[in-house]
Amino acid sequence: MRPLFFALISSCLALGLSAQDVSFASRGPEPMGHSGSDAREAAPGAKFSTEPIPLQPQAFTPCVGGLAAGYPCNKVDLLSLLPLANMGGGTGSGNWGWTDPATGKEYALMGLSNGTAFVDVTDPINPVYLGKLPTHTVNSSWRELKTLGNYALIVSEASGHGMQIFDLTRLRTVVSPPVTFTESAHYPGFSNGHNVAANPTTGYAYAVGTSICGAGIHFINMANPLAPASAGCFSSDGYVHDLQCVIYQGPDAAYYGREICFASDTDSVTIVDVTNKAAPVQLSRTTYPGAGYTHQGWLTDDQTRFLINDELDEQNVGHNTRTRIFNISDLNAPVLSGVFDGPNTAIDHNMYVVNSHLYQANYRAGLRILSLAQVNSGILSEVASFDTYPPSNSANFNSAWNVYPFLASGSILISDIEKGLFVVRATSVPVQPGIRLQPAAPGVSICDPGSVNVGVQVQSVGGFTGPVSLSLSGLPANVSAVFTPPTVNAGSGSTLSLTASGATPVATALTVSGSAAGPLADAKPLMLAIAAPLTAPAALVSPAPGVVFAPLQPQFTWSAPIGSTSTLEIATNPAFAPILYSATLPGSSHVPAVTLAPGTLHYWRVVTWGGCGDTMTAAA
């Protein structure tokens, strides 16, 4: 054991531990320059309506002569409208959707000022309000949510809200709706947050615009959805408003298979490699002329283009609704390759890509659907619309907050600030027959030599039931793969068996592909971790021995073998009895969910759990 000199205001000596067992001291926090709240959306001139509009539920009404139940439309039918009053009141905000993998039922998840509403939209003409999860603290006009597997992740600008986790399989057993739900778990790692993204392939959530991490990107390990763990931050580009994180499979070979986040950072498009949560790397930061507030964006399916909306340029400059197209074939040097101005002056808010179309929520102009047929030439064209605010298409903050266009049935969910939940369907974009692959897990691990099985479900889209041939690409050396059976009919599944013998420990992204008659195809990433028996404990990186550490919630980093899991332990004595804090998580970075005592000597160590079931404990 090597003695270390350690300085504190009130003490001047501390004993160090081994390279796997480190002491440090903590002191009071630095003032935070950004509260994490969205000052822009609360500013004068950017005002949301605070009063719902009294409405009656609306049944199916086709778009005829440019109207559906009084709402201007173009090739989009109204399936139903569920008013706010029929979902427990409040005002509307963000929404998302979920399809139950066991039953195939479709659900709308709608953020409200007083909580989150859950609506069964399997029969979109007769939606059923199942109940509400109340807000964790107080009401707020801002509530955003995403899904990760069978869990909803919910954040809000309300102080102390953190992130609510809700097990969506509980919706299966609602007998007498509506009911008041309780959260399945809660993550207190930040106070307020503006939005959250999720990557189902890696099992991480990414909170943005929070009260920590300089309001940048806060990484959350969701390996156990009911016990989320902080996994680090990206804060070097300041406030992040929204982002999309994917396993990159685009044309830039240098980053193929890595986890890349595409961030909308108020005045730029910022691309970050977050593969190593302990050391995220900013690949590029791209600004553009006329920026007002870079709000949100989405990738095209081939990951060659990133389309963004700017929430203040319509008001600031006076042009029509403007969508910008960035060519991101080189992640280090994106290029603005096209601009599309819509037919009116409404503000664009959120938008998403499904196959060859872009679905936008444009506040007072409602849902706008744009064709991506010529996006690589920098050209977009509007092909359909449903206007949820008939009185005006001006640049004001009312009506359509978000759209969710990913349901296999073709139902599109629109969350309206003052009205409620619209369910619509585009007749100009019919649901084409196809397939959708769904691996049973986002990733698998193998102890070499050894094997593992994972189920792959082939879901039917648009009634297609024909045969689908399965294949796998990206296998590392000395790893083999077999599908049993290799060809299945849509609506059934296969088992993928992976075997490793003499393979190098590695974490990599494989691609599961399915092809059917004609152009029907789909592909999904599958993470593979190959592990070998442990030969050494983890090496601790920071905080270093003897450091006077400023944050009361410091970020711990260490190096650990691929495929292993680590248990971080913190104590105030070298015997680690009692243990002040413990967290078990994959990866090599963690920010504790507790605040450490200022002016106190702490010790930390990491216990490594190998991918082969073996363990090595750091010696004190």
Side-chain angles (χ1 to χ4, degrees), residues 158-425:
S159 179
H161 186 277
M163 184 173 75
Q164 294 177 299
I165 298 101
F166 181 79
D167 183 350
L168 293 164
T169 63
R170 294 164 59 185
L171 301 179
R172 298 171 182 165
T173 57
V174 176
V175 177
S176 301
V179 300
T180 300
F181 295 104
T182 57
E183 57 195 31
S184 303
H186 181 256
Y187 177 70
F190 53 88
S191 174
N192 54 289
H194 185 74
N195 212 329
V196 63
N199 188 345
T201 305
T202 60
Y204 278 85
Y206 300 91
V208 296
T210 71
S211 54
I212 62 172
C213 299
I217 308 174
H218 175 49
F219 312 146
I220 307 170
N221 188 326
M222 300 295 296
N224 180 353
L226 300 180
S230 172
C233 293
F234 170 77
S235 58
S236 60
D237 196 35
Y239 181 90
V240 175
H241 194 78
D242 209 320
L243 79 167
Q244 181 185 11
C245 299
V246 300
I247 295 298
Y248 180 71
Q249 296 178 299
D252 193 336
Y255 300 103
Y256 191 91
R258 299 186 67 80
E259 187 172 15
I260 307 296
C261 289
F262 298 82
S264 298
D265 284 12
T266 72
D267 62 353
S268 71
V269 171
T270 300
I271 301 177
V272 186
D273 185 338
V274 299
T275 308
N276 182 355
K277 304 298 183 292
V281 178
Q282 181 173 306
L283 304 183
S284 59
R285 185 181 191 278
T286 307
T287 58
Y288 53 92
Y293 199 95
T294 314
H295 181 266
Q296 183 262 358
W298 209 255
L299 292 164
T300 56
D301 287 349
D302 62 4
Q303 298 184 358
T304 66
R305 300 296 187 274
F306 187 65
L307 295 90
I308 68 157
N309 52 71
D310 186 305
E311 199 174 8
L312 290 185
D313 57 347
E314 289 84 10
Q315 282 190 341
N316 293 350
V317 181
H319 54 62
N320 282 9
T321 308
R322 179 161 292 180
T323 304
R324 291 172 172 86
I325 306 166
F326 285 86
N327 184 335
I328 54 167
S329 297
D330 180 351
L331 297 185
N332 297 113
V335 176
L336 181 63
S337 59
V339 171
F340 169 75
D341 284 349
N344 53 64
T345 61
I347 298 169
D348 43 350
H349 196 221
N350 292 319
M351 59 190 187
Y352 309 96
V353 172
V354 179
N355 299 324
S356 59
H357 290 86
L358 179 69
Y359 295 76
Q360 296 182 327
N362 284 357
Y363 280 122
R364 286 191 170 193
L367 166 70
R368 320 302 289 198
I369 303 177
L370 309 182
S371 170
L372 299 175
Q374 296 178 280
V375 67
N376 289 347
S377 298
I379 299 171
L380 302 174
S381 58
E382 184 173 296
V383 296
S385 62
F386 188 92
D387 189 345
T388 55
Y389 196 85
S392 169
N393 287 327
S394 62
N396 294 95
F397 294 85
N398 301 93
S399 209
W401 181 300
N402 197 61
V403 297
Y404 183 83
F406 299 108
L407 296 176
S409 65
S411 296
I412 302 168
L413 311 175
I414 308 173
S415 59
D416 188 281
I417 299 168
E418 299 93 357
K419 300 182 187 70
L421 174 67
F422 287 87
V423 185
V424 301
R425 182 167 297 165

Side-chain angles (χ1 to χ4, degrees), residues 481-509:
V482 176
F483 284 97
T484 306
T487 300
V488 298
N489 288 329
S492 59
S494 178
T495 299
L496 170 61
S497 299
L498 296 165
T499 301
S501 180
T504 302
V506 68
T508 187

Side-chain angles (χ1 to χ4, degrees), residues 20-98:
Q20 290 79 38
D21 200 346
V22 177
S23 61
F24 65 97
S26 55
R27 62 180 174 86
E30 297 294 332
M32 181 169 289
H34 195 295
S35 67
S37 63
D38 189 344
R40 183 271 318 153
E41 285 179 335
K47 185 178 180 182
F48 284 93
S49 170
T50 57
E51 295 296 331
I53 297 174
L55 295 171
Q56 294 298 317
Q58 181 65 54
F60 170 71
T61 310
C63 179
V64 178
L67 290 174
Y71 295 98
C73 58
N74 176 27
K75 301 178 182 177
V76 178
D77 291 338
L78 173 64
L79 302 183
S80 59
L81 166 59
L82 190 63
L84 293 166
N86 293 71
M87 294 185 286
T91 56
S93 55
N95 74 339
W96 209 246
W98 177 67

